[in-house]
Amino acid sequence: MSTNPSPDAFTADFAAWHIARTGDPVPDISDFPLLDDNLIRETWIVETDDGREAVGRAPGVIALAVPAYALMRSTGISAVPGGLTAALLSAAAVVLFFLLLRDRTGSRTALVAAALLAFATPVWSVAADAMWPHTLTTVGIVGMAWAADRRQWCLVGLFGGVALWGRLHAALVCAVLGVGLAFCRRRPAIALLVGVTAGTTLLLMAVWTEWMYGSWDPTSGYRAGDFSEHVRDNVLDLPNYLGFVVSADRGLLWWSPLLVLLLPAAWRTRRELPDWSRWLALGGVSYLLSQAVLNRFSGGDQFYGYRTSLELVVSLAPAMALSAHTMSPRARRWFTPLAVLQVVLIAPGALLDGFYSPVADVWWRNAFLDALVRRPSDLLPLATGAFVATLLAVHLLRHPRVVGTLEADAPTPRRGGDSGARPPQVHPRPHRPTSRDSR
């Protein structure tokens, strides 16, 4: 976790700290010089109904950090309680992802997939680093997948509510999933249960904003006018759409090259995948398109890796994990090297603050390469440690005793399945015949 996170997260920590200490939702902004003296302070300030200045952030990133600040009382503002909350929530999401996959693929593949989600994506460097909105959307999206796999429709709506408390338009993921499953299974009750539960969390969000800002409008925590202007002026801005994918410091393909291997396999076997995984992926695509319409791809300053497209990666993760066993031989040969590379790329910025590219330069500068040139003494030990640790993990996962232990729990069909076939055990690595195969 970061002890000096982006003002996007630190201002939410400030509001949570003030609520835990006083019970008052509107702090005195002058108590937090990092915000009060900031040249762009209006980015994080909104006006309440009675004309006071308040911290304008998503309700969830403030509300969920309040218990930690109540338990870890301090006289001054600190990012530590908020960071601990983010780390615990992100860890819970990864465990839930492991449990989601284990019954379908066995423990070994589920462990590999969960570890990659945890350490080879900005789940580590962003969601677990501080109380970003992506902390909540990651928990919410993984929770929706887990609940849908178990046909717990009210829980799908509840986890959808967690996501929208992090980012209001993350409700699109929940809506696409609920309506899509209701349509393909011809069960309108699914959409009704998901919608009513998620709608209840939206009402609770309105209660929160009325208490904090004096307005029942759930968008009160943000300056909604900025997003309206962006929609009007940039809805057809092609470079903004491309920036999510190919820009040097925010592009998915730079930080997550495994997508190039896994997405073709998922597309080829899409009809064999569980129906909920297909609708979840479509919900993630819908969310990213809405994000591009509402805001710029760069996502601001002082974070490492991409963040505005993290929800898409999390939404695609179940489908990619469940179809990994169908990768082509060439893709299998590249899987382990690229997996190790992703961990090495993410680790430095997840472990140490300061490896950031200026937002004005994100098209042509990459934070990892910048640090390699400008701060090699800081970067190289972290990257080398991540490389060695990941290779050790790969070696352990291929050890016969570990393989035997993890594959002892072969997946078995269970009641409450879905229209997607259950894939066999997944081995996302190059296969070379050895004497081990005869055992």
Side-chain angles (χ1 to χ4, degrees):
M1 65 179 186
S2 174
T3 57
N4 183 31
S6 163
D8 282 21
F10 217 160
T11 51
D13 291 342
F14 171 56
W17 168 75
H18 183 78
I19 292 171
R21 191 168 60 97
T22 68
D24 182 2
V26 183
D28 185 348
I29 303 300
S30 63
D31 289 344
F32 191 35
L34 177 69
L35 174 57
D36 196 34
D37 300 339
N38 199 298
L39 291 175
I40 54 171
R41 67 191 299 275
E42 69 277 2
T43 303
W44 306 283
I45 298 292
V46 297
E47 189 174 288
T48 65
D49 189 54
D50 58 2
R52 293 184 293 169
E53 287 187 330
V55 172
R57 303 306 298 153
V61 297
I62 298 174
L64 289 186
V66 170
Y69 282 98
L71 290 171
M72 303 175 64
R73 291 188 175 275
S74 62
T75 55
I77 175 62
S78 165
V80 171
L84 284 173
T85 303
L88 289 171
L89 288 172
S90 299
V94 171
V95 171
L96 201 58
F97 186 62
F98 169 79
L99 296 176
L100 164 68
L101 296 176
R102 184 182 59 179
D103 291 344
R104 290 179 170 273
T105 66
S107 292
R108 183 167 178 267
T109 295
L111 187 61
V112 171
L116 288 175
L117 181 66
F119 299 113
T121 74
V123 167
W124 190 12
S125 63
V126 174
D129 194 57
M131 281 301 288
W132 289 92
H134 316 287
T135 309
L136 277 75
T137 54
T138 297
V139 174
I141 292 170
V142 172
M144 281 187 272
W146 175 85
D149 189 50
R150 285 152 177 78
R151 295 190 174 189
Q152 300 293 324
W153 308 123
C154 288
L155 286 179
V156 172
L158 181 62
F159 278 109
V162 172
L164 70 88
W165 268 63
R167 283 212 155 178
L168 187 57
H169 55 295
L172 268 174
V173 182
C174 184
V176 170
L177 178 62
V179 173
L181 288 175
F183 172 77
C184 70
R185 297 189 185 190
R186 299 181 181 180
R187 290 185 56 197
I190 294 175
L192 180 64
L193 290 171
V194 172
V196 167
T197 311
T200 301
T201 66
L202 183 60
L203 289 176
L204 292 174
M205 187 175 175
V207 172
W208 172 275
T209 58
E210 202 284 328
W211 173 66
M212 191 160 186
Y213 307 111
S215 171
W216 292 96
D217 182 355
T219 68
S220 300
Y222 284 99
R223 297 185 307 164
D226 293 350
F227 300 114
S228 301
E229 291 177 9
H230 193 276
V231 171
R232 184 177 62 251
D233 299 336
N234 299 285
V235 66
L236 299 178
D237 184 4
L238 181 60
N240 189 55
Y241 290 90
L242 292 176
F244 287 96
V245 182
V246 298
S247 62
D249 198 60
R250 302 292 192 261
L252 283 171
L253 297 183
W254 285 87
W255 296 100
S256 298
L258 277 176
L259 293 172
V260 177
L261 303 184
L262 294 170
L263 284 177
W267 177 256
R268 285 196 306 270
T269 59
R270 61 191 182 278
R271 291 184 177 84
E272 301 167 17
L273 291 171
D275 52 0
W276 58 260
S277 70
R278 299 194 297 268
W279 288 109
L280 188 73
L282 184 59
V285 172
S286 302
Y287 169 86
L288 186 65
L289 290 175
S290 71
Q291 176 67 29
V293 170
L294 290 169
N295 210 341
R296 62 190 187 280
F297 75 92
S298 54
D301 280 304
Q302 207 169 326
F303 64 92
Y304 184 84
Y306 55 86
R307 72 175 183 91
T308 51
S309 47
L310 181 58
E311 287 77 10
L312 173 63
V313 172
V314 177
S315 298
L316 293 172
M320 292 191 295
L322 292 171
S323 60
H325 64 287
T326 66
M327 285 190 297
S328 67
R330 178 176 295 179
R332 287 173 181 268
R333 287 193 295 272
W334 279 99
F335 181 89
T336 298
L338 288 184
V340 173
L341 174 63
Q342 279 194 208
V343 176
V344 171
L345 289 174
I346 291 293
L351 295 170
L352 187 67
D353 287 337
F355 296 130
Y356 311 126
S357 291
V359 67
D361 301 334
V362 295
W363 265 108
W364 59 278
R365 286 174 62 178
N366 177 272
F368 182 90
L369 297 178
D370 262 7
L372 187 61
V373 174
R374 300 168 188 264
R375 298 175 57 186
S377 61
D378 292 329
L379 179 92
L380 289 176
L382 297 173
T384 302
F387 179 72
V388 172
T390 309
L391 287 183
L392 177 61
V394 171
H395 174 73
L396 288 174
L397 285 168
R398 291 178 173 178
H399 191 279
R401 185 172 297 178
V402 175
V403 171
T405 301
L406 292 176
E407 294 186 350
D409 62 337
T412 56
R414 64 183 189 282
R415 293 186 66 185
D418 51 63
S419 62
R422 295 184 181 276
Q425 292 272 36
V426 184
H427 305 279
R429 61 183 179 89
H431 180 72
R432 296 182 180 87
T434 66
S435 60
R436 191 182 307 162
D437 296 337
S438 62
R439 299 175 192 173

